[in-house]
Amino acid sequence: MSHLIDNTPSTPGKLKPDKSSYIHNRFRIHSSSFSKLTLWCLFFIAFVIFFFFLSLLSTTTPSNSAAASNRRSLGATWGGSAWEKRVTKSSRRATASNRAVLVTGAAGFVGMHVSLALKRRGDGVLGLDNFNRYYDLNLKLARQKLLERAGVFVVDGDINDAALLRKLFDVVPFTHVMHLAAQAGVRYAMQNPASYVHSNIAGFVNLLEACRSANPQPAIVWASSSSVYGLNSKVPFSEKDRTDQPASLYAATKKAGEEIAHTYNHIHGLSITGLRFFTVYGPWGRPDMAYFFFAKDILKGKQISIFQDPDRGTVARDFTYIDDIVKGCLRALDTAKKSTGSGGKKKGPAQLRIFNLGNTSPVPVSELVMILEKLLKVKAKRKMVPMPRNGDVRFTHANISLAYTELGYRPTTDLETGLKKFVRWYLDFYPGSKKKSAW
């Protein structure tokens, strides 16, 4: 099976709504709708404030104390001449025309790949990661070792540590920040909602504060999410579509991040580009993603659950291969204009952008499983189950016309090709998982 990508982004005509009625409905505003909008805005603000203070209070709970202890066990200390030398060396640019980039979440899936790509082309790269235990820490440490071999130092620290961020900006005059750190995952928000506000809202604000105070101010590229489209039923998803109906707390924090970015751009002159990623997959990926744990469970002979929508159709995703995402990230960074502030004060209008980075070819999850069966040479034990109300949505589909025009973004990897590379990595990284064919 092969899903080859056309040279231009796909925009299926049969799924397009009537343009005139869409515009009419989108911009009809009268007094009652305005009051409803005001009420919802106040509710959302109160919601965010509540969880923000909850996240602050939770720092004294046993579970968070344990997490802090875990970070300390990793040697989460910073400062001193030897530490500063490592920071400076890692951030050193090959030439004056290269960039000095701070990559947050560098030990994460996308963060590692972006850091390596930046380093390969001669940019100075410094990583920052708190090595939390949302998923297997050994995988993050393995990514860190790969980065170290490439000459990228990953500082063990948190974006909520204001003193650490100030120190990093004092030591290195970063030209750019690639902000990829976040509490990921839609379903985990049901268990630990405060962690999402702590990382995705409070942590983002803390980072923006450090950037606005820096001299020079860096340009910022950061990871939003396709989840901001929430319950939007218009496909493919366009940057102009409504994003005020999040289906999960994760989506709500990413939408809040977009509004916060607008504020810091407007007030402080920070150049900010947001990227809405669509279901990123590939080698060194996240174990909480379906393609990853499907492969794991298929090899173990375990039953896998495939979600169905109420009409008994399978869920579909716009799976986007990691190499295509990395290219989009680098193009966003390369086209980012300079921030216009100095000492926290805005001196002129600054660039503010948002782009979809997807593959434009949604694939049913049942088809994903078929490809994995073929590559693993093992028959999956399937169970079709109703889609739970835990924040998941039925489908995602990116309209990448804007990224195509302004960034030159053009994904080239179909799902089978990408999964083949993932499976090869998976079997190499987890050698004990190999299983004889059950066909």
Side-chain angles (χ1 to χ4, degrees):
M1 197 261 340
S2 179
H3 293 276
L4 297 178
I5 309 304
D6 295 331
N7 288 333
T8 56
S10 63
T11 52
K14 67 178 181 179
L15 294 175
K16 265 190 173 180
D18 180 72
K19 186 175 182 180
S20 60
S21 63
Y22 172 71
I23 295 175
H24 178 67
N25 290 330
R26 185 174 175 88
F27 293 100
R28 278 186 60 199
I29 300 177
H30 46 73
S31 58
S32 61
S33 63
F34 180 77
S35 61
K36 289 180 180 178
L37 179 62
T38 303
L39 180 62
W40 277 110
C41 288
L42 291 173
F43 174 78
F44 181 73
I45 292 171
F47 180 77
V48 169
I49 292 174
F50 169 76
F51 275 106
F52 175 72
F53 282 107
L54 182 63
S55 70
L56 293 179
L57 290 172
S58 67
T59 57
T60 59
T61 64
S63 61
N64 280 278
S65 296
S69 176
N70 288 335
R71 285 196 292 274
R72 284 194 295 272
S73 69
L74 287 167
T77 58
W78 53 269
S81 59
W83 179 85
E84 288 190 22
K85 286 180 181 178
R86 294 188 70 186
V87 167
T88 302
K89 182 179 179 181
S90 183
S91 307
R92 190 171 296 131
R93 297 180 270 181
T95 68
S97 61
N98 285 108
R99 295 159 175 78
V101 187
L102 173 65
V103 180
T104 69
F109 173 33
V110 179
M112 184 204 76
H113 284 280
V114 169
S115 296
L116 289 173
L118 290 169
K119 196 68 176 179
R120 278 195 296 267
R121 70 180 197 175
D123 289 337
V125 183
L126 181 69
L128 176 63
D129 204 291
N130 70 355
F131 295 92
N132 68 29
R133 284 162 169 75
Y134 169 59
Y135 59 80
D136 183 17
L137 180 61
N138 290 323
L139 180 55
K140 296 181 180 182
L141 294 175
R143 294 187 190 126
Q144 181 190 28
K145 289 181 180 178
L146 196 63
L147 288 169
E148 286 179 349
R149 289 198 295 270
V152 178
F153 175 41
V154 181
V155 174
D156 184 356
D158 198 292
I159 56 174
N160 279 287
D161 189 339
L164 170 59
L165 291 180
R166 283 195 299 270
K167 183 64 176 178
L168 292 177
F169 279 95
D170 284 343
V171 175
V172 181
F174 294 108
T175 60
H176 295 75
V177 170
M178 183 68 71
H179 177 47
L180 301 172
Q183 176 57 63
V186 169
R187 299 165 201 161
Y188 183 61
M190 304 286 284
Q191 305 173 39
N192 189 3
S195 67
Y196 287 78
V197 178
H198 183 69
S199 296
N200 302 355
I201 296 180
F204 190 28
V205 169
N206 199 50
L207 178 65
L208 291 174
E209 280 292 305
C211 291
R212 79 161 178 99
S213 301
N215 193 11
Q217 289 181 337
I220 302 162
V221 177
W222 73 287
S224 181
S225 170
S226 63
S227 67
V228 299
Y229 291 108
L231 302 178
N232 178 36
S233 59
K234 173 185 170 294
V235 292
F237 299 156
S238 167
E239 293 88 346
K240 295 179 181 179
D241 292 343
R242 65 184 300 179
T243 54
D244 59 351
Q245 295 179 303
S248 66
L249 178 61
Y250 169 70
T253 61
K254 285 298 184 178
K255 174 59 178 175
E258 293 186 357
E259 301 305 320
I260 290 167
H262 179 278
T263 302
Y264 274 80
N265 167 269
H266 174 69
I267 296 176
H268 302 295
L270 287 175
S271 169
I272 306 178
T273 300
L275 304 175
R276 294 172 177 170
F277 296 158
F278 280 72
T279 316
V280 190
Y281 73 99
W284 296 96
R286 287 191 357 233
D288 64 319
M289 298 294 285
Y291 73 93
F292 199 115
F293 62 74
F294 278 172
K296 177 182 178 181
D297 289 344
I298 289 173
L299 287 169
K300 288 186 175 182
K302 292 185 177 180
Q303 187 179 74
I304 61 172
S305 297
I306 302 175
F307 293 157
Q308 284 183 318
D309 64 25
D311 299 324
R312 303 186 69 81
T314 61
V315 174
R317 289 288 180 269
D318 197 346
F319 296 102
T320 312
Y321 189 61
I322 182 62
D323 289 358
D324 292 324
I325 289 292
V326 170
K327 291 175 185 176
C329 288
L330 267 60
R331 288 298 299 152
L333 187 142
D334 290 342
T335 56
K337 296 181 179 179
K338 292 183 179 181
S339 294
T340 62
S342 178
K345 295 182 179 180
K346 179 180 178 181
K347 294 186 176 181
Q351 186 182 54
L352 180 67
R353 306 180 295 174
I354 194 80
F355 296 105
N356 288 337
L357 293 187
N359 199 39
T360 78
S361 298
V363 177
V365 174
S366 57
E367 194 168 322
L368 165 77
V369 174
M370 289 174 60
I371 297 172
L372 285 174
E373 288 177 324
K374 174 184 175 182
L375 296 172
L376 295 169
K377 297 180 174 60
V378 179
K379 188 71 174 176
K381 298 178 180 178
R382 308 183 185 205
K383 181 182 180 182
M384 306 304 291
V385 297
M387 188 168 66
R389 291 182 174 273
N390 60 3
D392 276 309
V393 294
R394 291 172 57 189
F395 59 87
T396 59
H397 184 182
N399 180 334
I400 61 167
S401 299
L402 186 63
Y404 176 85
T405 301
E406 297 196 16
L407 303 180
Y409 172 72
R410 187 178 301 179
T412 58
T413 311
D414 64 87
L415 183 59
E416 184 165 356
T417 300
L419 285 177
K420 187 175 182 179
K421 294 178 181 179
F422 163 73
V423 167
R424 187 184 303 122
W425 167 82
Y426 185 91
L427 295 176
D428 181 63
F429 191 79
Y430 301 102
S433 63
K434 295 181 181 179
K435 181 182 176 72
K436 291 184 178 179
S437 174
W439 289 96

